[in-house]
Amino acid sequence: MIKKHQIYKIDKWNMMTVEVNGTRFVLREISDQWGEECHEFLSRPALMHWAEERFRKDKYSGTEEEREAILKAFKEV
């Protein structure tokens, strides 16, 4: 059974979801700038490491509250 978790959704062109299938995590990032990017992780720690790097404080352009909400959503996957 595949469980789908929404990390964020701004509109139908800007969103991020994680599908959990057993021990496999498939992250889909859809952006109006880059199209769809897909990443596959074989463990939760690998997924969290990617998320923490992708949404680092010094690189994230949104607010700190948005950043914290995104990381919280990843932790709930």
Side-chain angles (χ1 to χ4, degrees), residues 9-60:
K9 182 174 183 174
I10 298 167
D11 54 34
K12 68 179 185 173
W13 301 110
N14 294 283
M15 68 180 81
M16 184 178 285
T17 61
V18 176
E19 295 174 2
V20 181
N21 187 1
T23 59
R24 209 176 101 214
F25 300 86
V26 179
L27 181 137
R28 296 186 198 285
E29 185 172 12
I30 302 170
S31 164
D32 57 2
Q33 294 177 335
W34 307 294
E36 182 175 334
E37 287 187 56
C38 190
H39 305 276
E40 188 172 326
F41 303 95
L42 299 177
S43 70
R44 189 175 307 274
L47 173 67
M48 287 308 300
H49 176 75
W50 180 90
E52 288 165 0
E53 283 297 308
R54 169 72 170 76
F55 295 101
R56 282 189 0 216
K57 271 187 181 183
D58 58 334
K59 292 175 72 178
Y60 186 66

